[in-house]
Structure formats: structure tokens, C-alpha cells
Amino acid sequence: MDACHDNYGHWDISLVGEFDASDWFGFIYLIRDRESSRSYIGKKQFRFKRSRQVAGRKRKKLVDSDWKDYTSSCIPLQDDIVAFGKPRFQFIILQLCSGKAELSYLEEQYQYSARVITARLPDGTPKFYNRTIAHRHF
């Protein structure tokens, strides 16, 4: 498989190597501001189920997600990407995951290991944009 930009969008795949998204459920990622060193750790699915009514019954269909262009659900991070420009940020896939439980578990493991809630930069600024782990507020 060609590792061209179109296959992986803006994602740096150097830690996981080339892959076929259809073989995986999702991935754990790190988005890092190259200038401030602030980061965000999150997860993203490659596909999701979409329900629709067909002849009075609900049908579920797998639909590709927007993973190639995804820039996180974190509003402050999205605002900084708009304000400073996408080239200032690194979008790194840390690990591929084969199922939903593994994806959620590993996201939390990475977040706890990095101390995303408490870690600070030398000037005292929070090192991570993350404000929650598993939607629990700290």
C-alpha cells in the first residue's frame, strides 16, 4: 500500500506503519502544538453505525468516519488549530485498535500514563488540552 497523504489524511503513521483502515476499529491519537508543546490524547473510530428507517424497520449500516480530516472534539484545541493553522500541529496515530472496548481502555491508559489532567509545562500552563478522562470531570 502506498503511504501517500490521501491514504492517511494529515495523520503521521510512523509509530504504527502503513495499514488498511478496514482491518481496524479505530485508533488512539496525539495532537501536539509544535510551538507551545500543548497536546491532546484521544480516540477515533474508522467507521460507525448509522440507523435509518426502511419499510418501517430500523436498518443499521456501517459508514466511514471523517478520520482522515479529524481534528478532535476538543473545542479549545479546534479553536487553536483555526487560529494558528493546521501546519503548526502534529497529528500522530499512537496505536491501532481492533474493537470498541480496546479503543476505550487504551485511550484511558494513555491519558492516565501521560497525566493529562495534572501535567504542566515549565511556565505552569496545562500540558494537555484534555480536561476529562472518560467524560469524568476532575
Side-chain angles (χ1 to χ4, degrees):
M1 178 186 288
D2 181 23
C4 76
H5 181 77
D6 290 340
N7 288 344
Y8 306 107
H10 56 232
W11 294 101
D12 175 343
I13 61 161
S14 59
L15 295 176
V16 296
E18 292 182 24
F19 63 89
D20 183 341
S22 65
D23 293 338
W24 298 94
F25 183 81
F27 59 95
I28 307 301
Y29 66 84
L30 174 88
I31 298 174
R32 183 178 166 274
D33 181 330
R34 297 172 200 267
E35 289 187 31
S36 75
S37 295
R38 287 195 76 201
S39 300
Y40 182 85
I41 295 174
K43 65 182 176 183
K44 183 65 178 167
Q45 292 179 203
F46 289 114
R47 290 165 302 287
F48 59 92
K49 289 181 183 174
R50 165 125 330 133
S51 295
R52 62 185 178 101
Q53 288 288 120
V54 176
R57 298 181 63 178
K58 275 193 175 183
R59 302 278 183 193
K60 291 188 179 182
K61 176 182 167 185
L62 274 182
V63 177
D64 288 337
S65 74
D66 62 346
W67 71 272
K68 290 181 185 179
D69 301 314
Y70 187 69
T71 58
S72 158
S73 61
C74 175
I75 302 300
L77 174 56
Q78 290 176 357
D79 290 346
D80 281 357
I81 291 170
V82 169
F84 303 126
K86 212 175 189 183
R88 177 168 156 163
F89 294 83
Q90 266 182 300
F91 297 83
I92 304 163
I93 295 179
L94 300 173
Q95 188 165 344
L96 298 167
C97 299
S98 58
K100 190 172 191 172
E102 179 185 33
L103 185 66
S104 294
Y105 175 82
L106 288 175
E107 178 193 32
E108 286 189 41
Q109 186 178 48
Y110 273 96
Q111 290 172 339
Y112 280 115
S113 294
R115 299 178 18 249
V116 299
I117 303 302
T118 60
R120 299 277 183 244
L121 293 171
D123 68 359
T125 304
K127 184 175 181 179
F128 290 88
Y129 287 91
N130 299 74
R131 296 288 38 114
T132 66
I133 294 177
H135 303 292
R136 289 186 297 274
H137 296 273
F138 294 91

